[in-house]
Amino acid sequence: MMDRLYLVIPCYNEEEVLPETSRRLEAKLKELIGAGQISQDSRILFVDDGSKDRTWELITALHQTNPMMEGLKLAHNRGHQNALLAGLMTAKDRADMVISMDADLQDDIGAVNAMVAQYHQGCDIVYGVRSDRATDTAFKRGTAQAFYRIMSFLGADMVYNHADYRLMSRRALEGLAEYREVNLFLRGIVPMIGYKTATVEYSRGERFAGESKYPLSKMINFALDGITSLSVKPIRFITLLGFLIFSASILMLVYFLAVHFLGHTVPGWTSIVVSVWAIGGLQLLSIGVIGEYLGKIYLETKARPRYRIETLLTHDPQ
Ligand code: UDP
Ligand code: MG
C-alpha cells in the first residue's frame, strides 16, 4: 500500500483562483499517483478561512463532483496561520504525509515531486525554499530579507526564505500538535520538532489572479508576532540598555561634579531637555516592548481556541 498524501490549501476570498488552482493540483496528484509515488486515495483539502465571497460554494461544488477534493470550513476568519493549522490537524489523522501551500500557486507546484521523493528517502519535514525573489516587488523583497536577518539575530531558528510551503509526515504533525501556543508562528515552531529534514528549492511566481491578502499592516503584525512568540531577547536588550544608560549617567555625574568643584558654571539647558526627552522616549519604548509580551501572556493564559471548524466535507467514512 502506497503512502497517502494530503495537500492542504488555506483559502481566504480566493474565488478568482480556485477553479484554476484545483485543476492544476488535481493534475499534479494524478501524475504522482500514476508514477506510483502516492496512494490512489490521496486528497486535496481546501480550508475556507471564513471567506466573504463564493469560495465555500466553489469548494462545495468541487467536493460534490470530484472524489479527490475535500473541504473544511472555519466558523470565522482566523488568519492564514490558524487556517493552515486547522487543515494540518484535520489531515493528520488521515494522511501519511501532508504538503501545505497557498491557494494562489505562487509557490511552484513542480517542487511537490521533489518533496515526495525526499519523504520516500526518510525525511519527516521537507522545506520548500525560494531560490530567488525576482517576481516580488523590491519593497517586499527588502522587508522580507530584513525580517529574516532580525529573526536570526534574535536567535530564532528559521529556515531562510522558507514560507509555509512544506511537507510534513504524520509523526511530524503529531509533534506539531503538542505545541499549544495561541500566538501561532508555524515556520518558527516546525524547526523545533526535529527529525530528519531536507530542503527543496523552487522559484516563486506571481499570483495568477486576485490580490494579495497580506497587506503591509498584516505583514508587520505577522513579523512582530514572529519575533515575540519565538524570542525573549528584546526584553533582555532593554535590561542591557537600562544598564548602559545608568552607567553613563554615573559617569556624567562624576564629570559634572568635577566641573562644579573646578568652578565652571554649566549653561546646560539644552542637554537637560534633550536627555529628558531621550530617556522619556526610551522608557516608553521599553514599557511598550514589555507590554507586548504581557499581552501575549494574557492571551496564552486565556487559551482561547485557535480555530473552530464549522463543516468538514470528506469522502472518507467519518
Ligand atoms: N489566507 C488565509 N487567511 C487570511 C489571509 C490569507 O487563509 O486571513 C491565505 C490565502 O488565501 C492564501 C495564503 O493565505 O492561500 C497566502 O496569502 P496571500 O497569497 O494573499 O499572501 P502573499 O503571497 O501576498 O504573501
Ligand atoms: Mg500569495
Side-chain angles (χ1 to χ4, degrees), residues 225-270:
D225 273 353
I227 293 169
T228 49
S229 67
L230 289 178
S231 160
V232 289
K233 274 202 180 173
I235 290 185
R236 206 158 299 152
F237 284 144
I238 290 175
T239 317
L240 192 70
L241 203 66
F243 178 74
L244 288 178
I245 290 177
F246 181 67
S247 313
S249 71
I250 297 278
L251 291 179
M252 268 153 73
L253 189 70
V254 172
Y255 173 74
F256 286 133
L257 279 179
V259 170
H260 177 76
F261 286 119
L262 289 175
H264 303 287
T265 42
V266 187
W269 185 83
T270 320

Side-chain angles (χ1 to χ4, degrees), residues 10 12 14 49 77 80 103-104 106 140 204 207 212-213:
Y12 178 58
E14 297 286 11
D49 184 17
N77 179 238
H80 175 224
D104 54 15
Q106 280 188 284
K140 185 136 190 170
R204 184 165 160 98
R207 229 174 206 281
S212 172
K213 274 73 189 173

Side-chain angles (χ1 to χ4, degrees), residues 167-232:
L167 177 147
M168 293 177 80
S169 69
R170 179 197 281 241
R171 70 171 179 172
L173 288 169
E174 277 162 3
L176 178 64
E178 286 167 18
Y179 291 79
R180 310 234 47 100
E181 48 223 89
V182 177
N183 296 289
L184 195 62
F185 190 69
L186 285 171
R187 64 188 82 166
I189 303 174
V190 172
M192 295 183 198
I193 297 172
Y195 297 128
K196 191 175 170 203
T197 64
T199 55
V200 164
E201 292 214 344
Y202 66 91
S203 62
R204 184 165 160 98
E206 279 175 66
R207 229 174 206 281
F208 64 84
E211 283 173 2
S212 172
K213 274 73 189 173
Y214 261 101
L216 183 62
S217 58
K218 266 197 200 176
M219 256 160 60
I220 292 175
N221 277 339
F222 186 56
L224 285 180
D225 273 353
I227 293 169
T228 49
S229 67
L230 289 178
S231 160
V232 289

Side-chain angles (χ1 to χ4, degrees), residues 88 96-100 119 123-126 166-176 186 190 193:
L88 293 176
D96 298 297
M97 59 184 130
V98 177
I99 296 180
S100 50
Y119 168 83
C123 287
D124 280 277
I125 303 173
V126 186
R166 73 175 84 81
L167 177 147
M168 293 177 80
S169 69
R170 179 197 281 241
R171 70 171 179 172
L173 288 169
E174 277 162 3
L176 178 64
L186 285 171
V190 172
I193 297 172

